Amino acid sequence: MKILVIGHSVEDHIHQNNEEKVKPGGIYYSVLGLSKIKSETDEIHLLTALQKSNEHLFFDAYDKTSKKNVSWVDEIPKVHLIIHDSEERTECYENISKNLDVDYSILNNFDGILINMITGFDITLEQLKEIRKHFNGLIYLDVHSLSRGFDNSKTRVLQQIENFSQWASSVDLIQANEHEVKTLFHFDNELEIAAEVLKHGTKVLIVTEGAKGARAYFKRNDKVESNFVPAEKVITNNKVGCGDIFGSIFFYTYLKSLNADKALIAANYGAGQSASTQNLTELRF
């Protein structure tokens, strides 16, 4: 099986407990999750931009991928992640990159495409429509920073996504966290939002809820149904990248099984393991 991962790579500066740590970020965590769950015959292909001076940050995960579609830039985005104990983390960005270049002629070489909107500018809506036009397989979209604008200090703030119906009609699976999902459509509750997403052709909407768990919405006999799994009971040692690892495991498992319940259970377990592990390179699934 061949999977193409699309999204920006970023240099994370993690601020927590009066300390700052520099780590790889962005689709690094999506690739890491796939590299831990894939079989020996599976291939991960990478469509991102990298910077020579900090390429070493990504080496352990990216070295296991095909980088034929990687472009090189002077500076990749830098993100300051301020981790809070009991609320959504704060994100401040530097060096926002332009959208990535996509070679549409190669797309049908893959079994699935995972798009993680790390910066929100990874690809445009028009590019997504072209991807859909040229690709017959499953497309997974992690909404991520597509749901976030900027305030005057370049801090990311949640805002309604324009034309989300067109995003939803161009992909098969959508992931958003419990805050991001409210930016998809103007409805009062999550079930109404899910119904609207599914109405536009998306097969599954996955909503991650951090320490509470995750829920997948889908249609059965033209009726919107959902399945919820509670979060794994673990001691939390890490709060970065868990949602991205969740998404990569969900997508991989769904590609293999076409079973949303099975994918949800596997992804929830993987997210729990990533939350409990201080060194994510040591993850084992």
Side-chain angles (χ1 to χ4, degrees):
M1 190 162 66
K2 295 182 180 180
I3 299 174
L4 177 65
V5 184
I6 300 176
H8 279 134
S9 301
V10 306
E11 181 183 289
D12 278 349
H13 290 246
I14 301 170
H15 303 263
Q16 188 175 22
N17 301 326
N18 297 317
E19 292 182 349
E20 178 181 348
K21 296 179 180 178
V22 179
K23 292 188 175 184
I27 63 164
Y28 168 84
Y29 293 105
S30 300
V31 172
L32 183 65
L34 287 172
S35 72
K36 296 295 184 179
I37 195 174
K38 79 178 188 71
S39 70
E40 288 187 7
T41 57
D42 294 326
E43 296 179 12
I44 306 167
H45 293 248
L46 194 57
L47 199 163
T48 192
L50 290 176
Q51 171 183 335
K52 288 290 186 183
S53 60
N54 59 14
E55 181 190 6
H56 63 280
L57 292 173
F58 305 88
F59 182 80
D60 62 289
Y62 287 7
D63 189 50
K64 300 176 178 66
T65 71
S66 168
K67 295 186 282 295
K68 291 179 182 177
N69 298 292
V70 168
S71 57
W72 296 93
V73 294
D74 292 335
E75 289 185 306
I76 62 172
K78 182 185 293 185
V79 185
H80 293 272
L81 301 171
I82 302 157
I83 307 299
H84 309 289
D85 290 333
S86 58
E87 59 184 272
E88 180 94 349
R89 70 194 185 194
T90 304
E91 300 185 10
C92 303
Y93 277 63
E94 300 177 37
N95 309 329
I96 292 297
S97 300
K98 72 177 184 70
N99 54 285
L100 298 162
D101 294 323
V102 180
D103 181 356
Y104 305 109
S105 69
I106 67 169
L107 298 183
N108 273 323
N109 295 327
F110 303 102
D111 298 286
I113 297 176
L114 190 159
I115 302 168
N116 196 340
M117 298 296 288
I118 296 297
T119 63
F121 304 100
D122 311 71
I123 60 169
T124 65
L125 176 56
E126 292 309 311
Q127 284 179 299
L128 178 61
K129 289 178 179 179
E130 285 298 312
I131 291 170
R132 177 76 286 171
K133 188 185 301 182
H134 288 83
F135 180 63
N136 299 321
L138 293 174
I139 301 176
Y140 191 100
L141 175 70
D142 187 338
V143 169
H144 211 123
S145 293
L146 186 62
S147 64
R148 292 169 171 83
F150 290 95
D151 66 11
N152 292 333
S153 64
K154 291 190 177 180
T155 298
R156 302 309 293 263
V157 291
L158 290 167
Q159 64 178 26
Q160 208 70 30
I161 300 172
E162 292 184 9
N163 302 315
F164 192 74
S165 60
Q166 296 181 49
W167 291 85
S169 65
S170 300
V171 301
D172 302 285
L173 304 105
I174 292 175
Q175 176 182 337
N177 70 25
E178 59 190 316
H179 307 291
E180 294 160 358
V181 72
K182 297 174 184 177
T183 71
L184 307 186
F185 291 104
H186 289 284
F187 289 104
D188 293 332
N189 65 63
E190 191 172 287
L191 180 58
E192 288 181 300
I193 294 170
E196 188 68 16
V197 169
L198 298 176
K199 185 179 84 173
H200 290 286
T202 300
K203 294 180 174 66
V204 186
L205 170 67
I206 307 106
V207 182
T208 57
E209 301 180 16
K212 290 181 284 186
R215 184 178 298 275
Y217 292 91
F218 47 88
K219 275 188 178 180
R220 183 176 286 143
N221 299 323
D222 289 328
K223 181 182 177 182
V224 177
E225 297 186 9
S226 70
N227 187 21
F228 178 80
V229 291
E232 297 284 316
K233 296 185 184 301
V234 298
I235 297 172
T236 301
N237 291 303
N238 169 57
K239 291 188 175 183
V240 178
C242 302
D244 303 312
I245 289 173
F246 175 102
S248 63
I249 296 175
F250 190 104
F251 187 43
Y252 181 88
T253 308
Y254 190 86
L255 276 173
K256 287 277 192 179
S257 67
L258 297 180
N259 186 313
D261 292 341
K262 185 175 181 179
L264 186 64
I265 291 168
N268 187 62
Y269 175 78
Q273 293 303 299
S274 62
S276 66
T277 305
Q278 289 183 327
N279 184 354
L280 292 180
T281 61
E282 298 174 358
L283 275 176
R284 296 291 182 271
F285 300 136

